[in-house]
Amino acid sequence: MGKPIHRLYVAMPPELPSGWVAVRATSLSIIIDAAAPRWLRDMVLCHELAHLVHGHHLRELDDPEAIRRLLPNLDPAAVRATLGDQVEGTLARTCFEGAAEREAEELGTELFELLNPWRGEQRWDVPERAAGVITRIERALGDQQ
């Protein structure tokens, strides 16, 4: 990205996204909801990194609507005056839809899977006495294997 990326964990109200990116002249800050469980914070980080890689949704913070989305309880003019030139823009979204969100979800999930230290079982050994039950469950769920 050409500049350092910092993670910041901040308690955010439920109406805000779980994460967003503040773009500064010399760095990027990924702001993540501190109340989220660890696995979700990691997933949000990967999702926001995917947005950066794809170059999605950069909005100037002199756009009052961008400020209103991120900080709905604060006056946009006051936020801009307080931040000054420290923050150039943000990657901000208010919903999970559209091509950019799908791209970020796909790449973010792939990155999360690569970095996730926990790996689920790829194969389960079924005791012989349970094989009939498993077969009925697979048939009920539509598994034709």
Side-chain angles (χ1 to χ4, degrees):
M1 304 308 317
K3 43 179 112 174
I5 299 173
H6 305 283
R7 288 173 295 172
L8 300 172
Y9 298 103
V10 176
M12 293 194 273
E15 64 271 13
L16 290 182
S18 303
W20 57 282
V21 178
V23 180
R24 294 185 170 97
T26 58
S27 68
L28 300 162
S29 294
I30 298 177
I31 294 88
I32 300 168
D33 186 2
R38 171 68 192 262
W39 69 267
L40 182 55
R41 291 191 316 253
D42 291 347
M43 186 66 213
V44 169
L45 176 63
C46 291
H47 178 89
E48 296 303 327
L49 288 170
H51 275 300
L52 288 170
V53 168
H54 285 297
H56 293 158
H57 301 303
L58 182 61
R59 291 178 162 235
E60 297 297 319
L61 269 187
D62 55 1
D63 173 2
E65 188 56 32
I67 294 172
R68 201 169 281 114
R69 281 192 187 114
L70 290 172
L71 305 166
N73 298 323
L74 300 178
D75 173 49
V79 170
R80 190 68 195 137
T82 301
L83 292 174
D85 294 328
Q86 294 176 3
V87 177
E88 297 176 343
T90 181
L91 299 177
R93 296 151 314 281
T94 57
C95 58
F96 297 97
E97 61 183 326
E101 283 304 313
R102 281 191 303 279
E103 286 178 349
E105 281 299 312
E106 289 169 5
L107 181 57
T109 299
E110 288 177 28
L111 181 58
F112 179 77
E113 288 174 353
L114 288 172
L115 299 175
N116 185 0
W118 180 82
R119 297 282 184 242
E121 282 289 323
Q122 298 299 314
R123 182 178 171 277
W124 293 27
D125 292 323
V126 178
E128 195 168 317
R129 67 182 187 283
V133 173
I134 299 300
T135 300
R136 287 193 300 278
I137 291 170
E138 287 174 338
R139 244 186 275 136
L141 294 174
D143 187 358
Q144 302 299 314
Q145 294 182 353

